[in-house]
Each structure stands twice: as structure tokens, then as C-alpha cells.
Amino acid sequence: MLNKIQIFTLLIAVTFFSTVSAENYRVSATKDTVTLGLYTLDKQPVVKVHSGDSVSLETWNSCLHEMVFNKTTPTEVSKFYTKYDIQNRRGMHSLTGPVYIEEAEPGDVLEIRILDIKLNDFGYNFLSPTAGILSEFTQPRIMYFKYNKEKNATEFTKGLCLHLKPFPGVIAVAPPQDWPDGWPVNLTTHMGQPVPGQFNSVPPGPFGGNLDEPSLQVGSILYLPVFQKGALVWTGDSHAMQSNGEIDVTALETSYEGITLQFIVRKDLKAEGVFDKSKRNGNSLFTWPIVENSKEWIVMGLNEDLLEAMQLASRNAIEFLVRTQGFSPQESYQFLSMVGDFDIPEAVNVIKNVAVHIPKESFKNLGKMKTLSSEGKFPLESPKIDENSSCEPQEGKIIQ
């Protein structure tokens, strides 16, 4: 069965790449290409591409790029949130997009390769008294950080050097029109889709979105189900680094000169849950987001309740092992209890994300599927980080 899938995958890839020569595109962040905190189905695409093409997307920092190094205050952020009804009506994310992929149809799977990220020169962490997981920190404050882009590092405090690991907090396809009511996530209609055809960017979902998955760095692939014709891909919430948890509600927030994404439409992989509601609770492999890099697969579960998110992640991971490695469900459950590494990428986006890390090394002698990628072998490499690089004195300030 797997051999047939791999052969069909190769045929699909050959078909796309032989009929369409891959092109590279560039999209600048402007008032016309950036939307504040909403995925809107009626927004005109910023670019139309074919399967196999790559797009470099410039991104703004949150709040429509109004965060100014060492100047913007928590009071100004609060006024912006009030003006635009942030959280309740929309997210704070500045979203570049959508990118329309010509061949993408509902029920397909979109393979999104992260080829490159070029950081801008500063970032910040905003401690929120109301949106983080703790309530005892009642004074909001912003820490600003200037980067040494040559060394890919920044100083947290004197003598404490942080090595940057940039990744997009948000990569999304356009959500399904029955989001969130038709999905087992316990999210209110208003929080997910405040207006028909407009979707709040705060909660993540089967469409990806605000996953805040720190492993989604250069050299990784995100697999998402396609819900709307053309897929309609957005990105934003750009990060320079983040812990699992993102407990004070922000990472090291930043913007990108460009994030380069390659889009490959997978006709051989079907997201059954797009059309079939009975396939949305851990029994359809590509109905929920999956991340892959050279060392592991990362399978996710999403729910407003943390335990239910972990249960969905477990069921999705069991389905993954059954489909790709030929395990029985019972073997998969026991394997995950012994080897699967469960973590919480974010606990602050209304819907919590639980991710299961499954090491590829465990399966090297099985002769089973070694990658989900269309090429039959994993095509990307992760950049090396110089953990010994030093930091220059920090120019950033703390503003309360």
C-alpha cells in the first residue's frame, strides 16, 4: 500500500513540475497586502501561483507595524487593542496574503516548505497582565531587543546571550465555512468566525493559523488540508524565537524582510475531514496540521480544553503511525507512551495546541515511509546554529 502511495506521489510531483516551470515571486507588505487579525474569504489574492512555485512574503510586526523600537508603550498598545476590538473581533496579527495556488482544490493537502527567513533588526516581548497564563503580574511591560543578524543572536540581560530561531507563528490556509461550529474544539462561533466569511486569527485550527509551533523553522514542512479553492495562504505573527508555552502571551515578536515559502499541491493525499464530519476526531491523517523536518514528525491536537487537545493529538498520532508505519492502534498507543514527546507550543490562544514529536530515527530499519514529502525523501536541511557565538551589549529598553 505504501509503495503504491509513494509511486503515485512521484507521478503527481513529476506531473506538476514537468508541466509548470517553478517560478519565484515577491510580495511586499503594504496596506493593500496586509490584513489585521482576520482571514477574509473575499480579499483579493496578493499573488496567484502554481504548484511548485515559491513566494517571498514580507511581514509586519503586530498591530499593523505600529510597534516602534524603544518607543511604543503598553498604553499605546492598549489603545490600539480598544480601537480595533482585538481578541473579540479580530487578532492582533498583521497578516500578509492571501496567496492563491491555482491547482489547489478542497480536500487536497498543501505541502508548504519553509525555504528561508530574513529577519528585520529588532523585536519585542509584551508581558500582558490579562492574556498570559498567570494573573499576579499586573503591570504590563514591553522589552525591546536589537538583533545581531550576522551572529543571529540577541542579549537578554548582560551576559545572557540568546540564539535566534525564527519561525512564523501563523501560516494558514483559508478556514472552512463551518469553522468553528462543525469542529470538535469547544470554541464559540463568535470567537472563531465573528462575521460570516471573516475568521479571527487568534485561535488556531485545522487550517493551521496561530499554531505558534517553534519547530516550524527554515528546513521544515507544514502539511495543511485545503478548504477553499486556491487554498488562500496567509502568514504573519513573525517570531525570532519562542519557548513552548508562550506563557506571557508573546514570543520574541518581530517582522521579516521576507519568508520564502514553496507550495506543492498534493492530489495523492486526501484530507477526508474537509467534507466528512465523522473524520474530524483523530481518524483521518491529513485533516489536522502536521509538521515535518529532517529529524521528526510533529502531529498536533487542538482544543480549548488542554486535556481534550492532548487526546486529539494522541489520536492523530496513532492514526499517523497506523497509516505510515503499519502499526496497530494498540501498538501505536503504547509506542507513543514510551517514545512520543508531547509538548504545549502555546496555551494562550484560546484554543490550546498540543504537539507530539515522533523521532524518525526510531523507524530507520523498518523500511516503511520515511517522509511525507512529495519527493520521497526529505528535501530540506535545517540551518546550523552557532551556540558559542557571543552577543553585543543590548540596545533595547524596557518600557512599562
Side-chain angles (χ1 to χ4, degrees):
M1 178 65 177
L2 289 174
N3 287 336
K4 290 180 180 178
I5 290 175
Q6 289 171 340
I7 291 169
F8 187 39
T9 298
L10 182 60
L11 289 173
I12 290 294
V14 168
T15 298
F16 278 124
F17 287 103
S18 62
T19 57
V20 182
S21 59
E23 300 285 347
N24 301 311
Y25 297 86
R26 165 78 179 172
V27 175
S28 298
T30 70
K31 62 180 180 62
D32 295 319
T33 62
V34 175
T35 302
L36 178 61
L38 291 170
Y39 315 113
T40 55
L41 296 184
D42 61 355
K43 184 175 175 78
Q44 290 298 306
V46 296
V47 65
K48 289 188 174 184
V49 304
H50 288 279
S51 179
D53 290 344
S54 301
V55 183
S56 175
L57 297 137
E58 183 183 16
T59 67
W60 283 349
N61 59 41
S62 294
C63 303
L64 296 179
H65 219 41
E66 293 203 4
M67 302 299 295
V68 179
F69 181 66
N70 282 350
K71 289 186 177 180
T72 305
T73 67
T75 298
E76 289 171 322
V77 172
S78 178
K79 289 179 179 178
F80 185 94
Y81 272 44
T82 299
K83 177 180 178 180
Y84 289 100
D85 198 9
I86 299 297
Q87 291 284 117
N88 184 49
R89 174 64 177 86
R90 68 183 75 229
M92 72 297 297
H93 311 117
S94 303
L95 302 169
T96 306
V99 175
Y100 185 101
I101 298 96
E102 293 284 1
E103 294 82 2
E105 300 281 351
D108 294 342
V109 173
L110 189 63
E111 178 177 329
I112 305 174
R113 300 179 180 183
I114 303 180
L115 303 184
D116 186 47
I117 293 176
K118 287 184 169 57
L119 283 165
N120 279 315
D121 64 352
F122 85 94
Y124 57 92
N125 178 270
F126 176 60
L127 186 160
S128 169
T130 58
I133 68 169
L134 301 177
S135 58
E136 59 261 40
F137 297 99
T138 57
Q139 180 71 38
R141 74 177 200 164
I142 302 172
M143 290 184 71
Y144 287 97
F145 298 87
K146 183 71 78 172
Y147 308 145
N148 183 325
K149 293 201 286 184
E150 183 179 338
K151 295 181 177 179
N152 203 40
T154 191
E155 187 181 64
F156 183 78
T157 58
K158 186 175 181 179
L160 202 167
C161 191
L162 302 178
H163 303 282
L164 304 179
K165 300 174 183 178
F167 74 96
V170 169
I171 297 182
V173 296
Q177 288 178 300
D178 65 349
W179 173 259
D181 295 355
W183 293 81
V185 293
N186 296 324
L187 186 68
T188 63
T189 303
H190 180 77
M191 191 64 204
Q193 191 174 175
V195 173
Q198 297 185 6
F199 304 88
N200 190 328
S201 68
V202 173
F207 50 87
N210 196 20
L211 294 170
D212 284 329
E213 172 50 64
S215 298
L216 196 59
Q217 299 171 32
V218 170
S220 62
I221 298 175
L222 175 63
Y223 301 90
L224 293 176
V226 175
F227 297 98
Q228 308 291 342
K229 184 174 174 56
L232 302 173
V233 178
W234 310 71
T235 189
D237 190 28
S238 305
H239 294 159
M241 66 183 306
Q242 182 201 293
S243 70
N244 282 306
E246 199 185 25
I247 61 173
D248 77 353
V249 84
T250 58
L252 180 46
E253 308 290 327
T254 195
S255 58
Y256 296 153
E257 292 180 14
I259 175 171
T260 304
L261 306 175
Q262 183 183 26
F263 304 104
I264 299 172
V265 177
R266 302 292 300 275
K267 298 288 184 181
D268 56 315
L269 307 177
K270 288 301 178 185
E272 298 170 297
V274 170
F275 301 111
D276 185 348
K277 289 186 178 182
S278 71
K279 298 289 188 179
R280 296 177 176 180
N281 200 26
N283 54 351
S284 174
L285 181 55
F286 295 103
T287 297
W288 297 91
I290 298 173
V291 172
E292 181 180 9
N293 58 40
S294 60
K295 295 183 178 179
E296 62 185 358
W297 294 287
I298 304 168
V299 182
M300 301 179 198
L302 303 168
N303 199 288
E304 189 166 355
D305 180 88
L306 186 59
L307 177 59
E308 290 192 45
M310 191 168 187
Q311 289 171 333
L312 180 59
S314 301
R315 293 188 179 103
N316 284 338
I318 288 169
E319 176 71 2
F320 175 87
L321 292 172
V322 169
R323 291 275 299 276
T324 66
Q325 304 304 323
F327 284 12
S328 71
Q330 293 84 353
E331 286 174 326
S332 301
Y333 192 26
Q334 292 178 294
F335 177 86
L336 292 169
S337 193
M338 297 166 63
V339 179
D341 186 9
F342 289 73
D343 62 33
I344 305 168
E346 59 78 16
V348 291
N349 298 337
V350 186
I351 286 182
K352 285 77 173 175
N353 181 8
V354 173
V356 190
H357 296 248
I358 302 172
K360 292 182 176 181
E361 179 73 13
S362 300
F363 308 100
K364 65 181 181 179
N365 296 322
L366 282 187
K368 301 288 186 179
M369 183 182 286
K370 291 181 168 55
T371 181
L372 297 174
S373 171
S374 60
E375 293 183 19
K377 65 178 182 178
F378 194 76
L380 306 178
E381 292 185 7
S382 300
K384 292 181 172 59
I385 296 173
D386 182 3
E387 297 288 354
N388 297 317
S389 63
S390 59
C391 282
E392 297 175 356
Q394 180 58 250
E395 300 175 33
K397 297 179 180 179
I398 298 175
I399 299 180
Q400 302 191 75

